[in-house]
Amino acid sequence: MSPNLAQAGCTGENEAVRIDVYLRDGALATLAADVRAGLSGTPKVLPPKYFYDSRGSELFEQITELPEYYPTRAEQSILDRVGGEIVEQVKAEELVELGPGSARKTNALLDPMVESGIGRRYVPFDVSESAVAEVAARLAGTYGGLEIHGIVGDFERDLDRIPRNGERRLVAFLGGTIGNLEPLQRQGMLRHLRAGLGPEDRLLVGTDLVKDTARLEAAYNDDAGVTAEFNRNVLRVINSHLDGDLDPDRFEHVAIYDEKEQRIEMRLCARDAHTACIEALDLDVEFAAGEHIRTEISCKFTPDGLRHEYAAAGLELLDIYMDADRQFALSLTGPDWLG
Ligand code: AVJ
């Protein structure tokens, strides 16, 4: 399949920007299949990637500024402290960023890459086309000589689309997004990423850390109700793309920490018994009063647990960096000798 070169070479005036869109049609096909499968079984589930239409991406930006939501600030503080050190160590010619969103944190890596004269290319890879387009345009303005090659895709399916240029690569998967995957999916993704690394390439992963339940739950139950709106947004996405009549007001936002599984679960809980219709799927979905849809898991980690997970995927944990309050971790990993 050839990419839909929506904006190849024509974002702004900058010829160094290219964006390949692999998702545009594919996204709707997987949305339909995922919604049918997820809302037909028990418990009901929806994949978190569908939060991020332009409204959902905007709501997530607001989440990152909430007083209760510490991960973004904690990760930023780590990157501000060690970004230069990491770049110097890796001597990366290319930065591939998985799920950059608005890429607010990326400067902490791109600045030292560009200043050292070693960095040449930035490859933002995101499920949101608007996010990739905006990031590409903004960073093209900031970094004159930098080549930018955006990819709009699903990192569970399109990772192999990232072209290999034979340059030394730093692959960054920040924000704790890897925590949205189930352990088996996560292991699969780490192995996949490992398989794409040359001996000198490095993978930098951001993960939220296990901490007390109150603090974790507050981060996903903010007082201003922004996370609740973000959660309900997935219903609006389904309604608009699949002609559904899911009523956001009939669902309560719930986020609870499961200490045994070490993860936050976000849910939408039906306030009363009712039936929704998803026209495009010719599907009626019945909700009992109090029945929930699980809309996201967000796993929390320990440094030891991380080391083991990386090792199982053929990755060696070379360095682990934490913020002063040990809330969040950045893992620098590389392919191990046996892998
Ligand atoms: C961007 C996926 C890491 O799991 O903390 C924020 C998404 N969900 N508030 C997270 C999210 C609810 C976030 N990630």
Side-chain angles (χ1 to χ4, degrees), residues 235-285:
L235 303 178
R236 298 180 204 277
V237 168
I238 293 171
N239 288 345
S240 68
H241 291 283
L242 298 175
D243 198 8
D245 67 356
L246 291 152
D247 181 354
D249 293 336
R250 282 178 116 144
F251 291 88
E252 189 192 345
H253 163 73
V254 173
I256 44 171
Y257 184 59
D258 182 331
E259 286 187 32
K260 189 172 142 285
E261 302 283 344
Q262 298 189 338
R263 67 193 198 187
I264 285 279
E265 268 195 45
M266 282 213 313
R267 299 174 175 171
L268 288 168
C269 205
R271 296 186 203 272
D272 61 354
H274 69 282
T275 302
C277 178
I278 300 170
E279 202 71 55
L281 302 180
D282 197 19
L283 180 72
D284 284 328
V285 185

Side-chain angles (χ1 to χ4, degrees), residues 4 9-10 15 30-31 73 112 114 117 120 147 166 171 174 231 236 257 268-269 291 307 323:
N4 178 358
C10 63
E15 284 173 28
T30 64
L31 176 69
R73 286 183 296 274
V114 168
R120 270 200 280 274
E147 206 182 297
V171 179
L174 304 177
N231 196 3
R236 298 180 204 277
Y257 184 59
L268 288 168
C269 205
E291 182 178 0
R307 186 182 309 277
D323 57 302

Side-chain angles (χ1 to χ4, degrees), residues 103-148:
R104 297 272 162 235
K105 290 171 280 208
T106 311
N107 296 30
L109 296 170
L110 279 179
D111 283 347
M113 273 178 68
V114 168
E115 276 161 27
S116 68
I118 295 173
R120 270 200 280 274
R121 188 180 299 105
Y122 175 57
V123 181
F125 183 117
D126 204 281
V127 72
S128 163
E129 185 172 352
S130 58
V132 172
E134 279 164 35
V135 162
R138 182 170 64 82
L139 295 187
T142 313
Y143 301 100
L146 192 69
E147 206 182 297
I148 300 181

Side-chain angles (χ1 to χ4, degrees), residues 55-72:
R55 180 167 184 269
S57 300
E58 165 64 29
L59 286 165
F60 179 69
E61 285 308 303
Q62 292 178 30
I63 288 175
T64 65
E65 297 184 355
L66 293 168
E68 298 94 335
Y69 194 77
Y70 59 84
T72 310

Side-chain angles (χ1 to χ4, degrees), residues 52 60 63 69 175-177 180 220 227 230 266 296 298:
Y52 300 92
F60 179 69
I63 288 175
Y69 194 77
T177 305
N180 286 164
Y220 294 82
T227 308
F230 173 75
M266 282 213 313
E296 183 177 67
S298 189

Side-chain angles (χ1 to χ4, degrees), residues 1-67:
M1 182 175 49
S2 74
N4 178 358
L5 296 176
Q7 311 191 30
C10 63
T11 297
E13 307 279 83
N14 194 326
E15 284 173 28
V17 174
R18 157 179 177 166
I19 297 177
D20 297 344
V21 181
Y22 292 102
L23 212 59
R24 188 169 284 148
D25 306 319
L28 278 184
T30 64
L31 176 69
D34 287 344
V35 169
R36 182 185 295 284
L39 296 188
S40 300
T42 339
K44 294 178 169 61
V45 295
L46 289 170
K49 65 184 168 204
Y50 299 118
F51 285 130
Y52 300 92
D53 66 347
S54 57
R55 180 167 184 269
S57 300
E58 165 64 29
L59 286 165
F60 179 69
E61 285 308 303
Q62 292 178 30
I63 288 175
T64 65
E65 297 184 355
L66 293 168

